Amino acid sequence: METIILVLVIGILCIVCFFIGAKVGQTVIKGENINTPSISKLNPMNIYKEHQEKIETEKEKNKVETILRNIERYDGTDNGQEDVPM
């Protein structure tokens, strides 16, 4: 059973690769440029830095939201106050 599935998947991948190659070949024959993703988009360090910035932004957003909730709930005591994440 697994062999049949493997053969089908490989066959489908071969057909998909053929059509992709045909599309690229036709593009080259027409003299159009082939757009490839830039190296900066695929650089793991840039992706990591963007991810870290996104995490930091989310932390800052949560901090501000907690402060605003604390301001809204303030009644002169510390009842209902949340700790502000660092």
Side-chain angles (χ1 to χ4, degrees):
M1 182 66 180
E2 293 140 1
T3 311
I4 294 171
I5 294 173
L6 184 62
V7 169
L8 288 174
V9 169
I10 291 175
I12 291 171
L13 285 176
C14 286
I15 293 170
V16 169
C17 288
F18 172 77
F19 282 115
I20 290 172
K23 174 83 170 137
V24 169
Q26 289 175 353
T27 304
V28 169
I29 288 175
K30 290 179 184 177
E32 299 173 5
N33 285 338
I34 300 173
N35 296 331
T36 56
S38 67
I39 299 298
S40 63
K41 290 183 181 178
L42 299 177
N43 188 345
M45 288 304 295
N46 289 344
I47 294 171
Y48 176 75
K49 287 177 184 176
E50 289 173 5
H51 180 69
Q52 289 300 104
E53 289 173 1
K54 186 177 177 183
I55 290 173
E56 290 298 320
T57 304
E58 189 67 30
K59 284 181 183 178
E60 187 67 27
K61 179 183 171 191
N62 289 338
K63 183 177 177 181
V64 169
E65 288 175 353
T66 303
I67 292 170
L68 290 175
R69 279 194 306 269
N70 284 342
I71 291 172
E72 290 175 4
R73 293 181 185 167
Y74 184 70
D75 62 356
T77 64
D78 62 354
N79 293 337
Q81 298 293 305
E82 299 176 21
D83 291 333
V84 178
M86 293 292 165

